[in-house]
Amino acid sequence: MTFLLSLPSWQQALLATLFTWGVTALGSALVFGFKTIRSHALAMMYGFAAGVMIAASFWSLLDPAISLAAKLDKTPWLVVAIGFGLGGLFLYAADKLIAVLVLNRSQDQQPPRQVKQAILLVFSITLHNIPEGLAVGVAFGAIEAAGNTEHAAMILAAMTVAIGIGLQNFPEGAAVSIPLRQNGMSRLRAFMYGQASGIVEPFAGVLGAFLVSSVNTILPYALSFAAGAMIYVACKELIPEAHARTRAESHWAIFGIMSGFMLMMVLDVALG
């Protein structure tokens, strides 16, 4: 604790977000534990990824965005509606653009749909991690900005934010790397993409620490924007793919969605 208190806020934020990135990498490393996976297990994994993203979109993104917008004396429902809608539209545009780019990649060994699905999945989780990194940075930057004597209590609160986000990142790392592996990627490459989805957090954390007041203003929009992007990918790619794996036994996909949702819900609610 003494060591952390002696550091500038941007260094505190950097250490905290390096931790959250590391937990993302740990979740992605689960891809090394699977050899062959049956169709019902695949359906559960795709469903699990969708459930994680749906739950995170509310408890990790929309709910904090609503609270933050209220604290900033903005109209909460309008802020989250704008951000959420723009997030979905942005992913829709990216979806169309990726489709055009993929069709022009004749040397790629993966079918176009799988390439597009992989890009959208990594892209959406990465977008989700940017506002989370900003949130950690703002939490640590606020300690220095406050200029009071309660630094120990404030740094404990900021560390709690970082630990909570880090634990949430574990299933999210798996939610990226495992579907990529099932799309034909090597385990190492799927792991690299999975952990790379969290690498934006240290950059965003340092930025948030430096720009506490201005980042606070746009953070509710950024959080809801990421939520819209995640819901788009979950509904457009992951849920249909989960059901397609076991058409005759769609309950496996539903079990996966529910288990992923419950895990993220428990983590978010328990960690506040």
Side-chain angles (χ1 to χ4, degrees):
M1 178 67 72
T2 304
F3 170 71
L4 278 175
L5 286 171
S6 66
L7 295 176
S9 62
W10 72 267
Q11 291 183 11
Q12 294 170 347
L14 177 61
L15 289 174
T17 47
L18 284 173
F19 162 76
T20 61
W21 172 31
V23 180
T24 303
L26 284 176
S28 300
L30 290 179
V31 76
F32 294 109
F34 298 97
K35 294 182 180 179
T36 58
I37 304 179
R38 297 180 179 179
S39 58
H40 67 269
L42 285 177
M44 287 194 68
M45 287 179 181
Y46 275 102
F48 179 84
V52 164
M53 293 175 74
I54 292 169
S57 69
F58 176 72
W59 276 284
S60 296
L61 298 171
L62 288 176
D63 190 41
I66 292 169
S67 299
L68 186 55
K71 289 179 182 177
L72 295 172
D73 293 326
K74 298 180 182 294
T75 307
W77 64 264
L78 181 60
V79 169
V80 297
I82 291 172
F84 188 84
L86 288 176
L89 289 173
F90 181 76
L91 258 288
Y92 172 78
D95 190 4
K96 296 300 181 184
L97 179 62
I98 290 165
V100 173
L101 295 176
V102 166
L103 289 174
N104 293 328
R105 292 182 60 181
S106 58
Q107 296 181 347
D108 200 304
Q109 296 178 352
Q110 292 182 320
R113 171 174 167 74
Q114 292 177 321
V115 176
K116 185 178 73 170
Q117 187 182 77
I119 294 172
L120 283 174
L121 181 59
V122 175
F123 195 43
S124 65
I125 294 287
T126 302
L127 278 177
H128 161 261
N129 285 332
I130 292 172
E132 286 196 344
L134 287 171
V136 174
V138 166
F140 281 95
I143 300 170
E144 192 170 290
N148 58 30
T149 58
E150 298 179 359
H151 282 196
M154 291 183 71
I155 202 168
L156 279 174
M159 288 171 64
T160 301
V161 172
I163 292 170
I165 288 175
L167 290 177
Q168 294 161 20
N169 283 356
F170 184 83
E172 288 170 4
V176 174
S177 60
I178 291 174
L180 294 183
R181 170 60 180 160
Q182 301 317 310
N183 276 344
M185 279 191 185
S186 68
R187 287 185 174 85
L188 180 59
R189 190 177 176 192
F191 165 75
M192 293 304 293
Y193 274 107
Q195 63 82 30
S197 69
I199 201 171
V200 295
E201 289 194 355
F203 297 100
V206 171
L207 179 64
F210 276 122
L211 304 173
V212 173
S213 58
S214 57
V215 168
N216 249 338
T217 303
I218 65 169
L219 193 54
Y221 293 98
L223 289 166
S224 51
F225 181 93
M230 292 182 73
I231 290 294
Y232 180 93
V233 173
C235 295
K236 172 86 170 41
E237 300 292 338
L238 296 178
I239 294 176
E241 190 70 27
H243 284 287
R245 296 287 174 169
T246 54
R247 290 187 179 90
E249 298 180 299
S250 62
H251 59 275
W252 291 110
I254 296 169
F255 290 156
I257 294 169
M258 293 184 67
S259 57
F261 188 95
M262 285 190 295
L263 176 61
M264 285 304 295
M265 177 179 64
V266 169
L267 286 173
D268 280 315
V269 174
L271 296 170

